[in-house]
Amino acid sequence: MSRTSDTSDVLVIGGGIIGLVTAWRAAQRGFATAVVDPEPGGGAAQVAAGMLAAVTELHYGEQTLLALNLASARRYPDFAAELTDLTGHDLGYRRSGTLAVALDADDRAHLRELHTLQRQSGLDSEWLSGRECRRLEPMLAPGVRGGLRVNDDHQVDPRRLARALVVACERAGVIFHRVWADRLTVVRDRAAGVVTADGTALGAGQVVLAAGSLSGRLAGVPDDVLPPVRPVKGQVVRLTMPEGQPPLLSRTVRAVVRGSHVYLVPRESGELVIGATTEELGWDTTVTAGGVYELLRDAHELVPGITELPLTETRAGLRPGSPDNAPLLGPAELAGLLLATGHYRNGVLLTPVTGDAMAHVLTTGELPEEARPFTPKRFSTAAALTEQPA
């Protein structure tokens, strides 16, 4: 037997940064809003490094996603200022830039190709010699062969961001149900709320599924509506500068070392975040000796001085991957159900634009133009086309 609780205008399933920003913006639009999550502010944000890397994260075939990433990056200064002014929480937003470097000839060729793609895409990046890279970051290894300086790729602290969004939601009147959502309630072919793990029935005018990598596992969602989201494991290591010592790096440094991507993100607090592995291992969140070893080994090749720093944390999390590595935003095929998931490696970067897009579609029923390529229906439409006889 379930017991009935209050009905909301908007019920958000998932209290990670995407669910929180959606709830906050919905509440600002006047919707009575609730969030279902046992630990709001938890999830992938507790593991993510927080790189806002629209330029250095560019990949071939992702030009449409690039436009959304850039739109969100442009909003970050005002978004961070608004959230800090409202909550008093410093987000650790730093406009310090990024340096992508190469350690051997193959890596250098890869970076050259990336530089060409960036320039063709109208992006601002500057090619530097190895000597110029070391002039910017003196602690880089002597073997650095060259690099790309990207002044517009910044960083934020996802843990601080998550805490600030929880406070912003509370101040906007968002109700938190600190329990798991057990199953979606569907009434007359329309999403009408959820039943929680403790048996409480929560009603809603509109339901937003924003549960990250768990979004594809919610019971009660019709099979043909479940978002095609999978977990992609990432392991991260955190080191800390001893008190009183200057930081090893002044900006984010990233590279491909023996085919593996590695990045080092220095915080103003003295923390140095090193990540991240990419592992297709289902729901496994085990921190492994091999994963930690590879991260430290590759980071040491870039910045040998890291071996002197205290190791303060090792952690693994799950990114929500989608078939095209892009988010699913807006109405699903089931009436009353909207999706905000599948952000993969860009969840932190896309937080501002996702909040705005979801508030817009909740209010008007339509996605704003910049978000329309990311409708969840792109997958069902593509599937229907492939199934048609020739």
Side-chain angles (χ1 to χ4, degrees), residues 100-159:
V101 301
L103 284 170
D104 59 30
D106 288 342
D107 296 339
R108 192 172 184 273
H110 169 77
L111 271 189
R112 283 289 194 185
E113 291 177 2
L114 176 59
H115 188 221
T116 299
L117 178 61
Q118 290 168 343
R119 299 299 292 271
Q120 290 173 345
S121 303
L123 303 175
D124 184 18
S125 65
E126 178 187 3
W127 179 261
L128 302 179
S129 67
R131 180 175 298 178
E132 289 170 325
C133 290
R134 289 187 295 275
R135 191 175 298 140
L136 280 181
E137 297 292 346
M139 299 305 293
L140 285 174
V144 168
R145 302 281 295 273
L148 291 175
R149 179 179 181 175
V150 180
N151 291 329
D152 293 333
D153 277 1
H154 304 140
Q155 64 156 288
V156 72
D157 187 332
R159 293 178 174 181

Side-chain angles (χ1 to χ4, degrees), residues 35 76 234 236 253 380:
V35 172
Y76 240 100
V236 168
V253 171
S380 56

Side-chain angles (χ1 to χ4, degrees), residues 189-211:
D189 296 323
R190 181 181 177 87
V194 299
V195 176
T196 65
D198 65 2
T200 302
L202 302 174
Q206 300 183 84
V207 178
V208 179
L209 179 52

Side-chain angles (χ1 to χ4, degrees), residues 11-32:
L11 181 64
V12 180
I13 303 171
I17 54 176
I18 295 300
L20 290 172
V21 76
T22 298
W24 177 40
R25 292 306 197 196
Q28 286 181 320
R29 295 288 185 104
F31 290 106

Side-chain angles (χ1 to χ4, degrees), residues 49-52 76 80-81 83-84 87-96 154-164 252 265-269 271 348:
M51 294 180 297
L52 309 177
Y76 240 100
L83 199 49
T84 297
T87 66
H89 286 251
D90 178 4
L91 307 186
Y93 176 61
R94 295 183 62 195
R95 305 180 73 169
S96 51
H154 304 140
Q155 64 156 288
V156 72
D157 187 332
R159 293 178 174 181
R160 294 185 179 188
L161 172 62
R163 287 195 295 269
T252 298
V265 183
R267 302 266 193 249
E268 287 183 333
S269 63
E271 182 180 68
V348 179

Side-chain angles (χ1 to χ4, degrees), residues 4-304:
T4 302
S5 185
D6 293 337
T7 296
S8 305
D9 298 328
V10 175
L11 181 64
V12 180
I13 303 171
I17 54 176
I18 295 300
L20 290 172
V21 76
T22 298
W24 177 40
R25 292 306 197 196
Q28 286 181 320
R29 295 288 185 104
F31 290 106
T33 305
V35 172
V36 181
D37 192 291
E39 188 182 355
Q46 296 300 307
V47 184
M51 294 180 297
L52 309 177
V55 179
T56 48
E57 282 277 4
L58 178 61
H59 288 69
Y60 286 99
E62 294 186 3
Q63 278 79 358
T64 303
L65 178 58
L66 170 65
L68 191 69
N69 287 344
L70 290 173
S72 202
R74 286 191 293 269
R75 296 178 197 201
Y76 240 100
D78 290 341
F79 172 78
E82 178 187 2
L83 199 49
T84 297
D85 289 346
L86 176 66
T87 66
H89 286 251
D90 178 4
L91 307 186
Y93 176 61
R94 295 183 62 195
R95 305 180 73 169
S96 51
T98 294
L99 184 65
V101 301
L103 284 170
D104 59 30
D106 288 342
D107 296 339
R108 192 172 184 273
H110 169 77
L111 271 189
R112 283 289 194 185
E113 291 177 2
L114 176 59
H115 188 221
T116 299
L117 178 61
Q118 290 168 343
R119 299 299 292 271
Q120 290 173 345
S121 303
L123 303 175
D124 184 18
S125 65
E126 178 187 3
W127 179 261
L128 302 179
S129 67
R131 180 175 298 178
E132 289 170 325
C133 290
R134 289 187 295 275
R135 191 175 298 140
L136 280 181
E137 297 292 346
M139 299 305 293
L140 285 174
V144 168
R145 302 281 295 273
L148 291 175
R149 179 179 181 175
V150 180
N151 291 329
D152 293 333
D153 277 1
H154 304 140
Q155 64 156 288
V156 72
D157 187 332
R159 293 178 174 181
R160 294 185 179 188
L161 172 62
R163 287 195 295 269
L165 284 169
V166 170
V167 173
C169 284
E170 290 172 341
R171 294 187 177 178
V174 174
I175 302 299
F176 285 104
H177 301 280
R178 297 175 188 268
V179 64
W180 289 108
D182 186 60
R183 67 181 183 277
L184 182 72
T185 303
V186 179
V187 177
R188 290 188 291 275
D189 296 323
R190 181 181 177 87
V194 299
V195 176
T196 65
D198 65 2
T200 302
L202 302 174
Q206 300 183 84
V207 178
V208 179
L209 179 52
S213 58
L214 292 167
S215 297
R217 303 186 84 184
L218 182 64
V221 181
D223 289 344
D224 58 346
V225 178
L226 274 174
V229 175
R230 72 188 190 283
V232 182
K233 179 181 177 181
Q235 299 188 55
V236 168
V237 172
R238 284 179 164 83
L239 313 178
T240 302
M241 293 297 302
E243 190 171 350
Q245 289 192 20
L248 290 178
L249 300 170
S250 63
R251 74 202 73 220
T252 298
V253 171
R254 53 191 304 157
V256 178
V257 181
R258 285 183 294 272
S260 297
H261 291 268
V262 65
Y263 52 74
L264 297 88
V265 183
R267 302 266 193 249
E268 287 183 333
S269 63
E271 182 180 68
L272 182 65
V273 184
I274 301 174
T277 63
T278 299
E279 306 169 61
E280 299 276 358
L281 293 174
W283 301 99
D284 173 46
T285 55
T286 306
V287 175
T288 65
V292 172
Y293 165 73
E294 290 170 7
L295 289 174
L296 292 175
R297 177 198 63 196
D298 294 348
H300 174 261
E301 290 205 26
L302 291 175
V303 183

